[in-house]
Amino acid sequence: MVILQEISIDTEFIKLDQFLKYASVVQTGGQAKMMISEGIIKVNGEVVLERGRKIKKNDVVEIEDFDSFVVI
């Protein structure tokens, strides 16, 4: 069973690249862009290649060989 880390947002959505920084997965936008372009990030089970993808409450973000998050 995968344990999801909960990440709380106070806005309607957060863009994927900003989410990766907010969740302390990466430190810079450049690192986020590289991870996203490698196709190792899934949102709700689908690979996402757009760094501007809107992440909303109840979305599940999975990073291959790293961690999984649920947005609350």
Side-chain angles (χ1 to χ4, degrees):
M1 180 176 166
V2 176
I3 307 240
L4 301 175
Q5 285 193 53
E6 293 183 345
I7 301 290
S8 176
I9 61 172
D10 297 326
T11 54
E12 181 183 345
F13 66 87
I14 185 171
K15 291 183 179 177
L16 180 56
D17 59 347
Q18 295 170 337
F19 174 84
L20 294 174
K21 289 193 290 184
Y22 182 66
S24 300
V25 174
V26 297
Q27 293 183 351
T28 68
Q31 290 172 328
K33 182 179 177 182
M34 199 170 0
M35 282 186 87
I36 295 164
S37 69
E38 289 173 0
I40 62 170
I41 299 175
K42 291 182 181 177
V43 176
N44 300 327
E46 291 183 23
V47 173
V48 175
L49 299 173
E50 308 88 34
R51 65 183 186 188
R53 166 73 183 264
K54 293 178 181 176
I55 307 300
K56 300 177 181 171
K57 290 184 169 130
N58 299 314
D59 280 350
V60 174
V61 179
E62 300 170 83
I63 303 163
E64 189 177 299
D65 297 328
F66 183 73
D67 218 337
S68 298
F69 304 90
V70 62
V71 181
I72 58 171

